[in-house]
Amino acid sequence: MDIWSREKRSEVMSRIRNKGTKPEVTLRKALFARGFRYRVNVKTLPGKPDIVLPRYKTVIFVHGCFWHGHPGCKYAYTPKSNTEFWVNKISGNRERDAVVKRELEESGWKVIIVWECEIRHGKDFSGLIERLSQDIRLRDSNLTSLI
C-alpha cells in the first residue's frame, strides 16, 4: 500500500533524474578542475556512462546508493511498501550494471564505479578525487607503455 495516490506517486517519480544529478555534476566539476576532459552520457557506449574520458579509455558511473543497491550502505534500503517491486527493480538494476560493465571491459574500457554516498556524504571528497585521478592517469601510463 502506497502512502500517496497514483497521481502524486507519478509526479514524484517523474522528478527523479537519471542524468545531470548533483553527485554527477559535483564529480565532473572536480575532475575538470584537475584537468580531465570528458564527454557525458555517450549513447554509443553500453549503459550510456555518466562520464567518459576518451583519452584514458575510461568510463565512470555515478551510482545512486538506493537505485543500485550499494552493499552495506545506509542509503540503500528496501522501502516498506511495495517491497516485492523494489527488490525486483533494484536487483534488475544490479544485474544490468554487471552486464554493462562486462561489455565495456571486453571492449577495452576501464570501468570505475563511484557511489553517491562517497560524493555527497563522504568525509574525504578530496581524497576520493585524488584516488580517481591516480587511477585514471595510471591507465594512461599503461597505454603509453604499450605503444
Side-chain angles (χ1 to χ4, degrees):
M1 181 75 191
D2 200 350
I3 59 171
W4 287 325
S5 68
R6 275 181 81 88
E7 294 78 21
K8 177 67 175 175
R9 174 61 63 195
S10 179
E11 177 188 342
V12 168
M13 295 301 285
S14 73
R15 294 181 188 275
I16 296 172
R17 299 177 1 190
N18 64 351
K19 56 185 174 185
T21 63
K22 285 182 185 179
E24 285 177 36
V25 172
T26 301
L27 182 60
R28 290 195 319 236
K29 285 181 178 182
L31 289 172
F32 191 89
R34 289 279 181 130
F36 292 103
R37 300 302 176 253
Y38 51 82
R39 300 288 171 259
V40 179
N41 304 110
V42 175
K43 293 177 182 167
T44 57
L45 291 174
K48 293 187 264 183
D50 300 316
I51 301 169
V52 179
L53 300 137
R55 173 182 173 186
Y56 303 97
K57 193 107 173 160
T58 299
V59 299
I60 301 173
F61 287 97
V62 179
H63 282 345
C65 297
F66 172 77
W67 296 103
H68 296 268
H70 187 191
C73 178
K74 69 179 181 179
Y75 303 106
Y77 60 90
T78 304
K80 292 187 180 8
S81 63
N82 207 4
T83 304
E84 184 180 345
F85 168 81
W86 287 110
V87 167
N88 291 335
K89 170 72 175 161
I90 293 167
S91 66
N93 288 348
R94 294 183 78 181
E95 289 169 15
R96 187 185 67 242
D97 294 341
V99 169
V100 166
K101 183 176 187 232
R102 187 179 67 245
E103 289 174 359
L104 286 164
E105 288 174 341
E106 288 172 355
S107 298
W109 289 88
K110 178 177 184 147
V111 179
I112 299 173
I113 308 291
V114 179
W115 291 97
E116 174 187 20
C117 64
E118 294 177 288
I119 298 169
R120 279 193 163 177
H121 311 287
K123 300 202 181 347
D124 188 20
F125 181 68
S126 60
L128 169 68
I129 297 303
E130 183 61 36
R131 287 190 306 277
L132 275 176
S133 299
Q134 289 175 358
D135 200 16
I136 293 165
R137 289 201 167 99
L138 176 68
R139 169 73 182 209
D140 188 44
S141 64
N142 289 341
L143 288 176
T144 54
S145 67
L146 295 174
I147 298 174

